[in-house]
Amino acid sequence: MITDTGALSRLLAWSSPAYPVGAYTYSHGLETAVEEGAVRDVAALAAYVRTALRDGAGRIDGALAAAAIAAAGDDAALDAVAELGFAWRGTAETALEATQQGNAFAAVTVAAWPDTRFEAFCARHPRRLAHAVTFGAACGFAGIAARDTVFAFLSAFAANLVSAGVRLVPLGQTDGQRTTAALLPDITAATEAALTADLDTLGTAAPMLDLFSLRHETQYTRLFRS
């Protein structure tokens, strides 16, 4: 549990939807799922986000964030996590989603929350930073605990998808908050799984999410970048 107000301030800022990384422009394939009728209501939206958290990108990103925290202070180990995070995407759009946000997070954080170690890390990986790795590295250098970091990152990931669903289905704002509340056990479970994950054996099992992402690349009308 965070007791240092400086660390808490950083974590709240870095995981806020107001942090300018462009998260609101991505739907993680949800736009196609809505277009094709696979997501039409609160229950289907919750199921989509739950799958992404527990069996899709959340499974990978939570583990990458945890690994980045553990590697903070060891340049070689952290660089290896960064390279893995850059490579580990199933589609072109999810790769863009991860790296565009990661590079934006790096630029803003270096400017607003200067740390020479974090700045040196970012400089070694120009335009090759996955969001989860960059977020984890920043938290690691700031001394924020792994569980708090991963929980915050996955909460923000889930909240962004719920927000996209509210706009796309569309749903009411209260429905969106009900969905977010219902996902708490899944965020908690995904956090615990990330903390014990082995990157050498880690994988995903959400092929429909990848297919939605692939089809989104050629979808005729689009509001989102993924």
Side-chain angles (χ1 to χ4, degrees):
M1 179 182 296
I2 297 178
T3 57
D4 181 287
T5 54
L8 179 60
S9 176
R10 284 172 169 78
L11 188 60
L12 290 174
W14 294 344
S15 59
S16 167
Y19 210 64
V21 298
Y24 69 94
T25 65
Y26 296 98
S27 81
H28 204 72
L30 180 60
E31 185 167 25
T32 298
V34 172
E35 174 76 13
E36 296 181 1
V39 174
R40 299 184 179 186
D41 53 28
V42 168
L45 175 60
Y48 193 97
V49 182
R50 183 176 298 115
T51 300
L53 280 168
R54 302 187 71 153
D55 301 310
R59 173 75 172 146
I60 300 299
D61 284 346
L64 287 170
I69 295 168
D74 182 336
D75 287 352
L78 186 54
D79 289 347
V81 176
E83 288 302 312
L84 183 60
F86 181 73
W88 212 338
R89 300 295 147 185
T91 70
E93 287 193 349
T94 53
L96 177 67
E97 181 179 314
T99 55
Q100 186 277 324
Q101 291 184 75
N103 295 322
F105 180 92
V108 174
T109 305
V110 164
W113 309 83
D115 182 304
T116 56
R117 300 163 300 172
F118 180 70
E119 185 174 357
F121 162 66
C122 295
R124 294 196 301 271
H125 302 275
R127 306 194 65 79
R128 293 175 63 87
L129 291 164
H131 190 197
V133 176
T134 316
F135 188 95
C139 290
F141 287 127
I144 301 171
R147 178 172 279 101
D148 294 328
T149 297
V150 174
F151 185 85
F153 182 86
L154 293 178
S155 294
F157 173 70
N160 188 65
L161 289 187
V162 170
S163 177
V166 166
R167 286 172 279 166
L168 287 165
V169 172
L171 299 170
Q173 293 296 329
T174 301
D175 284 334
Q177 291 305 308
R178 288 194 182 104
T179 306
T180 298
L183 290 167
L184 176 57
D186 303 289
I187 297 169
T188 301
T191 298
E192 296 305 317
L195 297 174
T196 58
D198 180 353
L199 294 185
D200 289 333
T201 59
L202 189 64
T204 61
M208 280 305 303
L209 269 61
D210 286 340
L211 289 172
F212 285 134
S213 177
L214 288 168
R215 292 202 287 269
H216 187 265
E217 295 176 14
T218 56
Q219 188 168 315
Y220 181 68
T221 56
R222 299 187 300 174
L223 298 175
F224 292 84
R225 299 179 72 184
S226 74

